[in-house]
Amino acid sequence: MKRTIIALCVSLAGMAAAVAPASAEQADSPQVASRNVPDTLDQPAARSSLASRSMLSALATAGERIVAVGVRGHIVYSDDRGQSWQQASVPVSVTLTGVCFADAQTGWAVGHRGVILKTVDGGQNWSKQFDGLRAATAIVQARELENPERVHDARRLESEGADKPFLDVQCLDRQQVVAVGAFGLGFATRDGGNSWTPSLALLDGTEQRHVNVARLLDGKLYLAGELGMLLRLGSDLQQLESLGEPYAGSFFGLVVSRQGSLLAFGLRGNLFRSTDAGASWQQVELASSQSLTAGVNLSDGGILLVDESGAGWLSLDDGQSFKSVKPTAQFPFAGLLATAEGGGVAVGVNGISFFEPGALR
């Protein structure tokens, strides 16, 4: 049985399940797509003057441009530090959950129904490279080569259709990109997205737990997800190591600090720090029980986290302690980006908010 987090997951963190519009859930359903309505995998995102105020789940920089992704295939971009926004041309209308850029022009976005999109013009126009139907077929083919006795499990994915989301995407360079998601889903490209290869090691090693986030440190991917899962994965997607499970709840985010520390955070304000590449973890006390949903390194060396209530949490000592800070507008947040001026841009259920540099001291 599919878990509720899949049906409603709008952000990389499961927190967005509580605030995602019901229509977004319905629009992403392959069952709905079969009832004589346009398939969300083929239906372009509708133009809307309110796109930048709708539920947005993740954002990234493309050079000096800010690009944010969200429900109904909405992708918006700003060239004036978030003061005004334009809507991109997107060929799908599924909820998008993650975005990354390898340079100012080349980027990828991922989302529900196994969608992977690519842009080569800084986020103004996007094309579909991959979806859940092709993902299931690729897993079947990989099983047939590696372990034919388990092909029947993979064929079940084909029968279920394109119903499993990617939840995060990590750009390694212009040619290498990794996408991770529900039930241990993991795919990589080494040719700029012309082909995508599944990671059976991740699929098997997660025990079908959702992978919510991927971050790069010293050439390896650090992953966090359901039920306290913390993993390290080689860039070839084959060598998977467990980094322990410091608590039983889900992790929604990871930050790799400039000093090389790892911060993993999730449900009910649970926050853990590692200074030895994940070999051991120490809990960091936070004066909140709100679920932590996103985090970034600030340009001045600080670390900023946000939570499902719309509050911010600032550390000036490499993640050893945090204090509360306030955004310009407070609502549940799902994504966060640092600005060159020392502030932050957050996205969530009401679109976009800001952490002014003066508030982060």
Side-chain angles (χ1 to χ4, degrees):
M1 180 181 294
K2 297 180 180 69
R3 285 161 279 191
T4 303
I5 189 173
I6 292 303
L8 294 178
C9 183
V10 174
S11 72
L12 306 183
M15 57 76 59
V19 295
S23 58
E25 173 195 357
Q26 295 163 358
D28 287 353
S29 168
Q31 286 75 27
V32 172
S34 67
R35 294 203 299 263
N36 298 318
V37 298
D39 190 336
T40 53
L41 291 176
D42 300 317
Q43 179 74 10
R47 309 295 297 186
S48 171
S49 60
L50 300 178
S52 64
R53 300 181 188 178
S54 63
M55 172 69 203
L56 298 173
S57 51
L59 67 174
T61 53
E64 296 185 358
R65 172 176 289 171
I66 301 173
V67 180
V69 304
V71 295
R72 304 182 188 90
H74 288 166
I75 299 182
V76 295
Y77 60 92
S78 174
D79 291 323
D80 56 9
R81 303 176 182 177
Q83 300 308 304
S84 63
W85 296 83
Q86 304 295 319
Q87 187 174 357
S89 175
V90 180
V92 298
S93 51
V94 302
T95 293
L96 300 172
T97 56
V99 60
C100 69
F101 278 82
D103 57 33
Q105 299 298 315
T106 311
W108 284 264
V110 299
H112 283 202
R113 304 196 66 195
V115 159
I116 300 179
L117 308 175
K118 183 179 182 180
T119 180
V120 293
D121 61 4
Q124 296 182 57
N125 297 279
W126 297 78
S127 60
K128 186 176 73 171
Q129 287 195 319
F130 202 61
D131 59 39
L133 300 174
R134 294 176 60 187
T137 299
I139 291 172
V140 169
Q141 294 172 345
R143 283 287 190 218
E144 288 175 338
L145 292 174
E146 182 181 277
N147 189 350
E149 294 182 356
R150 298 195 60 182
V151 168
H152 65 282
D153 293 331
R155 293 201 183 282
R156 187 175 68 249
L157 296 177
E158 283 189 310
S159 67
E160 291 172 348
D163 65 344
K164 297 171 181 61
F166 285 114
L167 301 175
D168 197 15
V169 60
Q170 177 75 56
C171 294
L172 308 184
D173 55 40
R174 291 183 64 186
Q175 297 300 314
Q176 300 184 86
V177 183
V178 175
V180 296
F183 299 103
L185 202 63
F187 276 78
T189 181
R190 299 189 182 282
D191 56 14
N194 293 320
S195 62
W196 292 86
T197 303
S199 171
L200 298 185
L202 186 61
L203 189 65
D204 296 337
T206 57
E207 300 176 336
Q208 295 193 1
R209 287 178 285 181
H210 306 326
V211 181
N212 291 325
V213 61
R215 293 292 179 266
L216 190 65
L217 174 63
D218 296 332
K220 292 191 175 183
L221 287 165
Y222 287 76
L223 312 175
E226 276 193 304
L227 300 175
M229 183 175 63
L230 295 168
L231 303 169
R232 182 165 53 224
L233 183 65
S235 60
D236 61 358
L237 300 191
Q238 301 306 314
Q239 299 176 349
L240 186 68
E241 306 170 69
S242 173
L243 300 178
E245 298 176 3
Y247 92 123
S250 290
F251 285 112
F252 297 149
L254 285 171
V255 171
V256 180
S257 79
R258 287 187 171 83
Q259 287 73 34
S261 298
L262 281 169
L263 295 174
F265 48 87
L267 284 172
R268 299 181 297 278
N270 277 284
L271 171 62
F272 295 84
R273 180 174 181 261
S274 175
T275 57
D276 52 14
S280 62
W281 297 88
Q282 296 76 44
Q283 188 161 15
V284 179
E285 294 298 326
L286 201 70
S288 172
S289 60
Q290 298 290 331
S291 294
L292 299 164
T293 55
V296 292
N297 289 297
L298 299 172
S299 61
D300 63 359
I303 299 170
L304 179 63
L305 309 179
V306 292
D307 67 29
E308 64 181 346
S309 76
W313 298 93
L314 175 67
S315 175
L316 300 176
D317 57 7
D318 193 42
Q320 297 181 71
S321 64
F322 286 81
K323 66 177 182 178
S324 177
V325 292
K326 292 188 177 298
T328 55
Q330 187 167 343
F331 47 83
F333 292 138
L336 186 62
L337 182 71
T339 65
E341 297 75 29
V345 183
V347 294
V349 296
N350 292 339
I352 300 148
S353 185
F354 300 89
F355 287 88
E356 298 295 347
L360 301 179
R361 297 291 183 268

